[in-house]
Amino acid sequence: MANKRPKPEEIVTKLRQVEFLTGQGMPRLNAIRQIGVTEQTYDRWKKKYGGMGTEQLKELNRLQKENERLRRAIFDLTLDKLILAEAAKGNFYVPLVAAPALIVFVLRDAGWHVNDKRVERLWRREGLSDLFILRGVPLYIWS
């Protein structure tokens, strides 16, 4: 069974423990061994979390979560833009039933991970209907 990775709060506590032990005169390597990690792991932890308090660590975690949320939002908006762009280009006539499926096919062929229901929802939200498109210029939009 694999060992569990320590949480950042536990890492900060272990770093403080090593600082305390070395301050009492214990050699650094012995202090590192006493907390149960290798010197390489200690150096990596110190580089990442050195000098951080628990409040700063909580703030870092909050910022990382917010950053991830914003990245997902940007990805979603980019994907919506691509879906609409695919709907507006090409030389094809697409009935309302098949248009979202064609867009899903084109985007998946381009390497995007696309949800069918999302494309259909976006198609309806934008009020799109049957399209006849020639060289990127919509000639007829039937509702």
Side-chain angles (χ1 to χ4, degrees):
M1 191 160 133
N3 293 337
K4 290 186 177 181
R5 290 186 179 177
K7 295 180 182 177
E9 294 84 8
E10 295 170 352
I11 292 172
V12 170
T13 304
K14 287 184 178 188
L15 290 174
R16 285 185 184 164
Q17 186 177 359
V18 169
E19 289 175 9
F20 178 75
L21 292 173
T22 55
Q24 287 184 338
M26 181 181 282
R28 182 173 165 261
L29 286 176
N30 291 344
I32 292 171
R33 287 185 189 130
Q34 188 171 347
I35 64 167
V37 297
T38 64
E39 186 178 5
Q40 183 181 9
T41 302
Y42 173 78
D43 290 338
R44 187 171 11 101
W45 285 355
K46 188 165 182 171
K47 183 178 179 183
K48 187 171 184 179
Y49 300 106
M52 245 187 227
T54 54
E55 292 300 319
Q56 291 172 328
L57 192 59
K58 287 178 184 177
E59 180 69 14
L60 175 66
N61 288 338
R62 187 189 66 76
L63 289 174
Q64 286 174 343
K65 287 178 183 176
E66 182 181 357
N67 193 19
E68 183 62 30
R69 183 186 61 81
L70 291 173
R71 282 185 182 164
R72 275 195 216 113
I74 290 172
F75 176 77
D76 290 345
L77 291 173
T78 303
L79 189 56
D80 289 350
K81 182 180 174 185
L82 281 172
I83 290 168
L84 292 173
E86 285 297 326
K89 74 178 186 180
N91 295 329
F92 55 87
Y93 167 76
V94 182
L96 179 60
V97 179
L102 179 64
I103 293 170
V104 168
F105 174 76
V106 170
L107 289 173
R108 284 185 180 161
D109 192 43
W112 287 86
H113 300 286
V114 182
N115 186 331
D116 299 352
K117 290 181 181 178
R118 179 183 183 157
V119 172
E120 291 174 15
R121 198 169 40 246
L122 182 62
W123 189 266
R124 277 187 257 113
R125 186 185 79 197
E126 295 296 323
L128 300 174
S129 60
D130 294 350
L131 293 178
F132 179 72
I133 299 175
L134 180 61
R135 294 189 196 114
V137 180
L139 298 179
Y140 300 105
I141 301 178
W142 297 313
S143 39

